[in-house]
Amino acid sequence: MFFRRRPKSPAELSDEELLLRYRQQGDVADLGTLYDRHLTEVFAICRRYLRPDEEAQDAVMQLFEQLVDKLRRHEVSNFPAWLHATVRNHCLLVLRARQRAGPAAGGALVVHFPDAAGMESAAHQHLVSNDADDDAHLTEERLQALEHALAELPDGQRRCLELFYLEKKCYADVAQLTGFDLKQVKSYLQNGKRNLKRYLESSPSSPASPDGFR
């Protein structure tokens, strides 16, 4: 007597298996399961670039709609890395579109870094340019410089800055959440701001100083 093996549920499949089955069968439920696995990271990346949260949430939905078509046509070998790059590029396109629209569409470009890689970091005034493509390229360079600067900070400094400036925690709350004493917290905040400013000023494509960390 032969028993037919039941198909695996989406939750039982690896990312690679879900991608393959989606390309073969086109079942959006498989793609939904795959996207849900990485949804927290996707939203964190969107919030890094886009505010308010409603704009980041809109980007999350737009990205899923794009994946429905992209992943049916393209073979992806490393989904987490590919998704990270796709999300980042989408957010940069949103910023570029806003920049081309001019001050009426939002004025200054504000960049936020709420996840483990960083924190709310900087804003720079919209620069008027006759060449929109060149202006957008400069914006992307600044964003990359900010990310690199934040990644260079020691863990203690980065975490204290994140809690104090982004999550609006007081000194005592930061100390409780990190395990540092108040003297350490104040030292990390002071040194973190100084190091971030120094790193940004050393990069020719970055803003001169991080807004919100004065």
Side-chain angles (χ1 to χ4, degrees):
M1 184 176 182
F2 295 95
F3 295 92
R4 179 177 297 176
R5 181 180 300 176
R6 69 173 181 83
K8 289 184 178 180
S9 67
E12 296 175 299
L13 298 174
S14 66
D15 287 358
E16 293 75 16
E17 290 172 327
L18 282 170
L19 284 170
L20 177 60
R21 196 165 81 172
Y22 176 67
R23 284 198 304 273
Q24 292 175 341
Q25 302 179 11
D27 188 347
V28 178
D30 287 337
L31 181 59
T33 298
L34 181 64
Y35 198 57
D36 284 344
R37 288 179 184 174
H38 301 273
L39 192 59
T40 299
E41 180 185 1
V42 170
F43 184 58
I45 298 171
C46 289
R47 289 187 76 237
R48 182 184 301 175
Y49 295 101
L50 307 172
R51 285 296 181 97
D53 279 357
E54 288 75 11
E55 187 171 320
Q57 291 168 356
D58 288 344
V60 170
M61 297 302 297
Q62 293 165 5
L63 282 159
F64 179 76
E65 293 172 358
Q66 292 179 19
L67 295 187
V68 170
D69 179 59
K70 286 184 177 180
L71 291 177
R72 188 175 289 154
R73 295 184 290 108
H74 299 292
E75 184 173 350
V76 176
S77 58
N78 185 339
F79 181 72
W82 180 87
L83 182 62
H84 185 283
T86 299
V87 175
R88 177 181 173 278
N89 289 340
H90 176 79
C91 291
L92 288 172
L93 287 173
V94 173
L95 291 178
R96 289 170 182 172
R98 183 189 303 168
Q99 188 177 33
R100 290 191 180 106
L109 294 177
V110 181
V111 184
H112 297 266
F113 291 83
D115 62 354
M119 52 179 297
E120 181 178 13
S121 66
H124 62 274
Q125 294 298 319
H126 175 73
L127 300 177
V128 178
S129 172
N130 293 327
D131 189 333
D133 289 335
D134 287 346
D135 209 17
H137 178 64
L138 288 174
T139 298
E140 183 169 352
E141 287 184 345
R142 291 186 179 101
L143 293 170
Q144 292 174 343
L146 288 169
E147 288 187 289
H148 294 158
L150 289 162
E152 289 293 317
L153 292 179
D155 290 341
Q157 293 178 14
R158 185 171 62 245
R159 182 58 178 152
C160 287
L161 286 169
E162 176 183 338
L163 289 170
F164 189 80
Y165 287 101
L166 176 64
E167 300 186 24
K168 308 302 181 184
K169 304 294 185 183
C170 66
Y171 289 121
D173 288 340
V174 175
Q176 182 179 8
L177 290 167
T178 60
F180 304 137
D181 60 38
L182 287 176
K183 184 177 180 180
Q184 286 177 303
V185 168
K186 293 179 181 179
S187 176
Y188 279 142
L189 288 171
Q190 182 179 3
N191 292 331
K193 287 189 295 182
R194 183 186 304 114
N195 290 335
L196 186 62
K197 184 173 185 286
R198 182 184 300 117
Y199 190 96
L200 289 172
E201 288 177 340
S202 70
S203 174
S205 62
S206 66
S209 63
D211 183 49
F213 296 100
R214 300 190 179 98

